[in-house]
Amino acid sequence: MGVLYVISDRQSASTAIALASKERGDVSILFIGEARGLVDDREHRKTLDHISRIYCLGDITNGMSQSEGVEVVDYSGWVELIEENDRIVSWA
């Protein structure tokens, strides 16, 4: 059990990622909404190297690209992530 950061705001995502990088133990990040575009952003991808698990809410068939190291989940996958983690940090 760990902590899940749910990030939806693209502009302040770097702050949330910095906070997540200071966490100890199992840390996951789920990108939703406009923050999903950060999955393909090289600058942000470098800062995510130390994060245990990275997820993106979406559908590859609807224009999302599959990025290495990022698992695409649907809404039921999001619920599973919530159930798997002790703490949820929502960054909107």
Side-chain angles (χ1 to χ4, degrees), residues 24-41:
R24 299 208 185 273
D26 185 21
V27 180
S28 302
I29 290 180
L30 171 64
F31 291 108
I32 64 172
E34 65 180 38
R36 294 182 308 162
L38 297 174
V39 170
D40 295 323
D41 186 319

Side-chain angles (χ1 to χ4, degrees), residues 59-85:
D59 184 359
I60 297 171
T61 60
N62 287 334
M64 282 199 62
S65 62
Q66 180 70 43
S67 297
E68 184 177 334
V70 177
E71 183 177 341
V72 177
V73 297
D74 58 10
Y75 285 101
S76 63
W78 185 356
V79 171
E80 289 176 21
L81 290 171
I82 290 170
E83 292 173 343
E84 292 172 3
N85 289 280

